[in-house]
């Protein structure tokens, strides 16, 4: 239904040109529900806006139902009518009643009779649970209700596909589910939809596929299970597992241990890791580098905390070193047993001219 090839978009209106989409390629079948997730500023909104030509792409092709919509000869209004868009901020006509908001498009643009438009509007309002509010004004509605009207208004144009740009992110948390529930219902009815969202559980449940966007490209795509359970690429993994990272470079034995400890303490406080974990991390960052530094070479330390599964990992990498410390009979036994006591798991590998120790910090059962 929609094919996107080598889509790119560079904004040139600002002082410096900014390339927001670099090379986006995808194919979307009729009836698919695709959630687009990823960090902010990676071009998700720009992508949706290019698809319905609210933004003019810099290069590439967008083919909708066999028509290249970037072709000069294409009737843009016809294309836009077939693509509904629901925004974060509803964009209702505030001076028109709810019913009128849902009839104006079909009457003006589809040349539907007032009677038919009103009949259709009432059906749509019933579907989104707001038939009772037909005569109300937008200002009398809550955010969640307004967004449901915006969806009904979008449907009144009989679109082939609906693009949602963070439809729930402007809402009070109590109103998120009433809007998601309407979108779920549309998915069941087979509506083709592209949904930019931060609601991960919803994206997982409702989507046939997930696009993970990062840095202007579809960085990884797959089924919800692929992306949420088995992400393959590093940025996807970090995003999905909500990994928070602290990195530190230990250049030589005279490094500032207190500075490092203070940073670790701040990190642990920020993510409420608890004193036990903090103390274990401190032992590990003291003992492991002390052993490693018997060989020359800077140590790169990385502390990872997943806000999803609460795992804490410490990693130490030292270039140009191939000796084992865990298997080495010269390693101090007391230090080693202290290290092992702080870890649920500790692995060492020496390859590609570096040694790497990765420790899963032990945490107490909750
Ligand atoms: P996302 O929706 O993933 O958060 P956006 O597509 O909104 O990302 O924005 C991507 C980048 O493009 C951001 O750095 C944003 O500031 C920039 N941007 C968005 N719209 C415009 C515009 N009209 N002019 C210039 N820069 C823009
Ligand atoms: Mg956005």
């Amino acid at each position: 239904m929609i094919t996107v090839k080598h889509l790119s978009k560079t904004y040139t209106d600002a002082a410096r040109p900014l390339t927001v989409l670099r090379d986006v390629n995808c194919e979307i079948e009729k009836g698919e529900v695709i959630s687009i997730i990823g960090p902010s500023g990676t071009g998700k909104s720009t992508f949706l806006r290019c698809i319905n030509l609210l933004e003019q792409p810099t290069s590439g092709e967008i083919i909708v139902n066999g028509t290249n919509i970037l072709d000069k000869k294409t009737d843009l209004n016809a294309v836009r009518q077939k693509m509904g868009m629901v925004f974060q901020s509803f964009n209702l006509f505030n001076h028109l009643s709810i019913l009128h908001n849902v009839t104006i498009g079909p009457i003006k643009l589809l040349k539907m009779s007032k009677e038919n438009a009103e009949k259709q509007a009432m059906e749509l309002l019933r579907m989104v649970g707001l038939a009772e509010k037909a005569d109300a004004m937008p200002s009398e509605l809550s955010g969640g209700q307004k967004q449901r009207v915006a969806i009904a208004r979008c449907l009144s144009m009989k679109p082939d596909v609906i693009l949602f740009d963070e439809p729930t992110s402007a809402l009070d948390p109590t109103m998120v589910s009433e809007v998601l529930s309407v979108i779920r219902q549309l998915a069941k009815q087979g509506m083709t939809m592209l949904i930019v969202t931060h609601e991960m559980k919803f994206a997982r449940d409702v989507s046939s596929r997930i696009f993970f966007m990062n840095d202007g490209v579809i960085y990884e795509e797959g089924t919800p299970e692929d992306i949420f359970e088995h992400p393959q690429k590093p940025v996807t993994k970090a995003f999905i597992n909500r990994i928070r990272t602290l990195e530190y470079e230990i250049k030589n034995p005279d490094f500032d241990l207190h500075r490092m400890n203070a940073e670790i303490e701040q990190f642990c406080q920020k993510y409420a890791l608890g004193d036990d974990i903090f103390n274990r991390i401190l032992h590990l960052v003291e003992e492991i580098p002390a052993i490693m530094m018997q060989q020359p070479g800077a140590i790169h330390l990385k502390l990872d905390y997943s806000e999803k599964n609460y795992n804490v990992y410490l990693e130490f990498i030292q270039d140009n070193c191939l000796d084992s410390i865990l298997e080495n009979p010269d390693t101090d036994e007391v230090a080693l047993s202290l290290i092992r006591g702080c870890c649920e798991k500790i692995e060492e590998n020496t390859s590609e001219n570096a040694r790497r120790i990765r420790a899963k910090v032990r945490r107490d059962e909750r």
Side-chain angles (χ1 to χ4, degrees), residues 281-304:
I281 293 170
L282 280 194
H283 280 309
L284 292 169
V285 301
E286 196 163 330
E287 299 295 335
I288 294 179
I291 301 171
M292 291 177 104
M293 278 184 301
Q294 290 166 9
Q295 301 279 335
I299 299 167
H300 184 78
L301 182 159
K302 189 161 158 239
L303 173 61
D304 273 355

Side-chain angles (χ1 to χ4, degrees), residues 11 13-14 18 20 38-47 55 165-166 196:
Y11 287 112
D13 41 338
L18 180 66
V20 173
S40 340
T42 50
K44 302 182 298 297
S45 297
T46 302
F47 178 49
E55 292 292 350
D165 194 358
E166 300 197 27
V196 173

Side-chain angles (χ1 to χ4, degrees), residues 12 19 46 53 57 80 141 143 145 151 158 167 186 213 215 233 237 239-240 244 319 338:
T12 48
T19 296
T46 302
L53 299 179
R80 288 205 186 104
L141 269 52
Q145 291 172 326
I151 295 172
K158 305 182 196 299
L186 291 175
M213 280 193 73
D215 201 11
K233 296 172 77 177
K237 280 186 194 169
F239 183 86
I240 295 296
R244 308 300 170 207
D319 287 335
L338 182 57

